[in-house]
Amino acid sequence: MVIRCCFVTAELAPLVKAGGLADAAGALAGALHSRGVDLRVFVPMYAELDRSTLSLEPEPGLADLELSLGRHRYRYSFVRARRAAGPDLLLVDCPELYGRPGVYGDAEDEHHRFALLCHAALEACVRTGFAPQVVHCHDWHTALLPTLLRQRYGRAPELAGARSLLTVHNLGYQGWLPASVASELGLPEGAVETAGLAADRINLLRQGLRDADAVSTVSPTYAKEICSPELGMGLDEVLRARGDEVAGILNGVDYSTWDPATDPHLPHRFSAADLSGKARMRAALCDLLGLQDAPGRLLIGIVSRLVWQKGVDLLEGALEEPLADGRIAFAALGAGEPANEALLESLARRFPGRAAFRRGYNERLAHWIEAGADAFLMPSRYEPCGLNQMYSLRYGTVPLVRRTGGLADSVRHFDPATGEGTGIVFNDADPAAVRWAVETAAAWHQDHSLWSRIVANGMREDFSWDRAVEEYLQLYRQIAERA
Ligand code: ADP
Ligand code: GLC
């Protein structure tokens, strides 16, 4: 059976990226396409979408359409984007909503940007006679799709058999809106519920979790965690109330982008068979960041959005002593909450030559840190999947991770007695636990053969999308059978 899927996402690597959603959606769409799924991939035509590798042409029959959201009337069209590899994209072109800087914003019409994306995708299916069995949406931005299908578009013959799958990449972002804008989502009155006890607000993710035919998330452990009050972020009850289980499918890694043997960002490439390029990358990274290149010193890297989720504040009190006595060096890249940026800036200021922080978003430096660091630190409070720990494994960079979500599912704590394991896994979200992990790594790093063993174990791991895409296909088939 050929599966037809309408795939709708707010981000898609490599064209437009704010975080891991882009990596996951971009690679999954590519993997589904190569497995023969008949896909229509919808993405907003943001001003900052990287057009350099695309060949663009207007999509016939899908020009100059109109959508009313409350008293706002929008005109939009579709542009087909052909790429050298991967499925074509259908870009939703609405300059009034997408012709501004940034993927996300805080303007008053932010909800219109994503409501329009959802309407546009279903409208395009109807107008082109495309009848998907699966409508696959991701996170709060597209969580309105299940409700739109049930309440507005499901009567169209093209969509009568369509079933929705909502994949949660991060339960921490829910799309809270004042109840007064419920009438601006293009749905019949009463279709969108106020959010439980918060009678004056609506919550788009909650709405999607109630109305979707199936729900999945991006790791088996996170699938369990979000059904508990501790990590359910107020939505655990809604998840438990569903008749079915939340499927947990660990994201894969796009090794065509993240492989040190072929990575075009790196001046020195390497593989498990020959790590000399990694030593040269370490030296190049130290040079770039103004760090002393002392090979006996453990160089720890971080590349992260600097938000509460990522636990960067837990570094305070964990790194100072090993930095001061020269056991570790530290290279961080990221942007986010001012307090986290200030903490990293202060480490760089207090430990010149040993700690460096680059504020901002920098794709190339992210690859350099993965390649040049000895270890990679992810002290996340919660982590639906996390990608950098899997990139680190392939780059011979030992991950130091908290035992949560996808980190717990992808890194095995190393046991010196058996020589098994791929990283260092700690339990608590506090500076003492981070310090324990850092000091354990620094001590193990002194033992060359032990460290080489951890590195080799990690580089052998295979998190390619081949496995994950099979699990999605199985889920798609199950969903399609319900139609
Ligand atoms: P999340 O989606 O929660 O941010 P993930 O680990 O799934 O976390 O994915 C983050 C992705 O974004 C990775 O590809 C990482 O390299 C990238 N990234 C995060 N911050 C930066 C930055 N400042 N510069 C470059 N890449 C970044
Ligand atoms: C989210 C999560 C991250 C996950 C990514 C891709 O942004 O925070 O853990 O890897 O989505 O699914």
Side-chain angles (χ1 to χ4, degrees):
M1 166 174 77
V2 174
I3 296 181
R4 293 176 303 276
C5 173
C6 163
F7 190 100
V8 194
T9 172
E11 298 179 34
L12 190 106
L15 306 177
V16 59
K17 169 165 167 176
L21 169 62
D23 290 337
L28 174 58
L32 291 167
H33 175 69
S34 52
R35 290 301 317 270
V37 174
D38 188 4
L39 272 184
R40 300 292 182 277
V41 182
F42 295 91
V43 190
M45 192 155 168
Y46 302 106
E48 73 170 55
L49 188 111
D50 177 3
R51 291 155 166 81
S52 60
T53 56
L54 302 175
S55 113
L56 301 175
E57 53 194 64
E59 182 68 357
L62 291 178
D64 213 15
L65 309 179
E66 199 176 279
L67 176 71
S68 290
L69 296 174
R71 53 192 174 74
H72 309 265
R73 192 173 292 179
Y74 295 102
R75 303 202 81 84
Y76 67 100
S77 302
F78 288 83
V79 173
R80 180 171 290 266
R82 291 183 210 282
R83 307 184 282 170
D88 288 0
L89 309 175
L90 286 165
L91 304 176
V92 183
D93 185 19
C94 178
E96 192 179 346
L97 288 175
Y98 307 130
R100 56 182 83 163
V103 180
Y104 305 117
D106 50 16
E108 279 198 346
D109 59 1
E110 183 75 353
H111 56 294
H112 290 180
R113 301 173 79 221
F114 298 110
L116 181 106
L117 171 65
C118 297
H119 279 272
L122 297 182
E123 191 66 42
C125 292
V126 172
R127 284 177 184 257
T128 58
F130 180 68
Q133 296 104 324
V134 181
V135 173
H136 192 169
C137 45
H138 303 267
D139 279 353
W140 75 264
H141 330 101
T142 50
L144 198 59
L145 276 159
T147 311
L148 289 179
L149 261 184
R150 282 180 193 268
Q151 304 275 351
R152 179 160 168 176
Y153 292 87
R155 282 182 293 275
E158 294 79 7
L159 293 173
R163 296 292 173 265
S164 56
L165 168 62
L166 171 57
T167 297
V168 176
H169 295 260
N170 196 331
L171 207 67
Y173 302 86
Q174 301 187 356
W176 282 98
L177 296 170
S180 56
V181 307
S183 59
E184 296 173 20
L185 298 171
L187 279 160
E189 201 174 326
V192 180
E193 295 205 336
T194 51
L197 296 178
D200 56 344
R201 294 203 290 167
I202 55 179
N203 177 318
L204 292 179
L205 187 59
R206 181 179 194 270
Q207 180 74 27
L209 293 174
R210 292 175 61 116
D211 279 349
D213 292 297
V215 171
S216 77
T217 186
V218 289
S219 69
T221 295
Y222 196 57
K224 292 197 196 79
E225 287 171 342
I226 58 179
C227 293
S228 73
E230 293 73 38
L231 287 178
M233 300 189 149
L235 297 179
D236 48 298
E237 214 178 304
V238 175
L239 286 164
R240 287 196 306 272
R242 294 184 53 90
D244 57 351
E245 276 192 6
V246 177
I249 303 179
L250 192 73
N251 285 330
V253 172
D254 181 356
Y255 289 121
S256 69
T257 307
W258 291 98
D259 180 346
T262 53
D263 189 333
H265 292 289
L266 305 184
H268 311 291
R269 305 205 176 119
F270 56 91
S271 65
D274 179 3
L275 284 169
S276 55
K278 183 164 177 71
R280 285 199 292 277
M281 272 314 303
R282 188 186 194 281
L285 178 66
C286 288
D287 194 37
L288 180 78
L289 297 178
L291 295 172
Q292 299 151 6
D293 183 17
R297 183 179 288 164
L298 179 79
L299 174 56
I300 300 175
I302 280 196
V303 178
S304 183
R305 293 183 296 118
L306 302 176
V307 296
W308 180 84
Q309 170 192 352
K310 303 294 180 181
V312 180
D313 52 306
L314 306 175
L315 303 189
E316 178 137 40
L319 299 191
E320 286 85 345
E321 228 174 275
L323 275 170
D325 62 25
R327 277 176 294 160
I328 67 165
F330 180 60
L333 165 67
E337 287 159 16
N340 286 329
E341 294 183 354
L343 171 62
L344 297 177
E345 261 153 24
S346 131
L347 285 172
R349 211 176 31 249
R350 282 182 288 156
F351 300 100
R354 291 191 182 164
F357 170 50
R358 291 291 177 274
R359 186 176 164 277
Y361 188 89
N362 184 332
E363 195 76 35
R364 179 165 171 266
L365 183 55
H367 285 248
W368 275 48
I369 291 178
E370 281 295 1
D374 301 307
F376 196 95
L377 181 57
M378 297 179 76
S380 304
R381 288 199 167 78
Y382 73 94
E383 196 62 77
C385 178
L387 296 168
N388 282 105
Q389 80 283 8
M390 295 193 277
Y391 303 157
S392 297
L393 289 168
R394 183 50 61 99
Y395 282 69
T397 305
V398 175
L400 319 183
V401 303
R402 197 173 153 246
R403 193 186 309 279
T404 184
L407 301 176
D409 292 333
S410 55
V411 181
R412 293 177 286 120
H413 186 67
F414 182 75
D415 178 355
T418 61
E420 293 302 317
T422 55
I424 292 178
V425 184
F426 55 99
N427 290 323
D428 298 323
D430 60 33
V434 176
R435 179 155 174 185
W436 172 82
V438 165
E439 297 203 340
T440 303
W444 285 355
H445 183 244
Q446 295 301 313
D447 181 337
H448 183 71
S449 69
L450 184 141
W451 191 259
S452 304
R453 176 73 186 239
I454 312 177
V455 168
N457 290 351
M459 291 184 90
R460 263 201 307 275
E461 295 284 274
D462 183 2
F463 290 102
S464 67
W465 272 97
D466 297 350
R467 170 203 45 83
V469 79
E470 281 311 317
E471 292 182 53
Y472 275 104
L473 283 172
Q474 209 180 335
L475 190 56
Y476 279 14
R477 284 190 204 103
Q478 278 168 18
I479 296 169
E481 276 163 19
R482 294 189 210 165

